[in-house]
Amino acid sequence: MASASSTSARSLFVDSKMRLADRVQVNVNNIASLARQIQRGSKSSEILMHAAKSFAQQEHGLEVAETNLKKLALIVTQLEYQMESVDRSSVLLEEVTEQVRAMQR
């Protein structure tokens, strides 16, 4: 009976040892998976940082473009005023030309 009991104890010990080894292997695999996830996470952080820098550069470019558009709008307004002035002057010139012709007759 002692040998049956000792065989049973050995069998339980071997089973426990095998289960423990399996759990250790699962835990090692989980840690490796976690390490890969962290590494991917750090790369995504780098990608986000790069995207933020690009966005900031584009924002600056948009500000410059907006400033240039405002300058162009001001130039257009000034050109419209000058064109109106030229139109008024041409009308006045025609009137003066008519007056000179009238005086010459």
Side-chain angles (χ1 to χ4, degrees):
M1 244 201 188
S3 70
S5 174
S6 110
T7 305
S8 176
R10 276 190 190 160
S11 176
L12 285 174
F13 176 74
V14 169
D15 285 346
S16 295
K17 193 174 174 183
M18 296 278 284
R19 283 197 309 258
L20 180 61
D22 287 343
R23 285 185 180 176
V24 167
Q25 185 62 45
V26 167
N27 285 338
V28 168
N29 289 341
N30 287 342
I31 289 171
S33 176
L34 179 62
R36 283 191 298 274
Q37 292 279 344
I38 290 171
Q39 185 180 14
R40 286 186 197 129
S42 70
K43 287 183 181 178
S44 66
S45 172
E46 291 171 8
I47 291 170
L48 284 174
M49 188 63 108
H50 180 69
K53 286 180 183 177
S54 295
F55 182 76
Q57 289 172 348
Q58 289 180 357
E59 185 178 17
H60 175 70
L62 287 174
E63 288 174 359
V64 170
E66 182 182 15
T67 302
N68 288 339
L69 284 173
K70 287 179 180 178
K71 288 178 183 176
L72 285 172
L74 182 62
I75 290 170
V76 165
T77 302
Q78 291 172 348
L79 286 173
E80 286 173 348
Y81 288 145
Q82 290 176 3
M83 188 171 162
E84 289 172 7
S85 177
V86 167
D87 284 344
R88 282 193 305 268
S89 295
S90 69
V91 169
L92 291 175
L93 183 60
E94 288 176 12
E95 290 177 9
V96 169
T97 304
E98 285 297 318
Q99 289 177 356
V100 168
R101 284 187 188 149
M103 293 170 80
Q104 287 177 348
R105 292 184 203 158

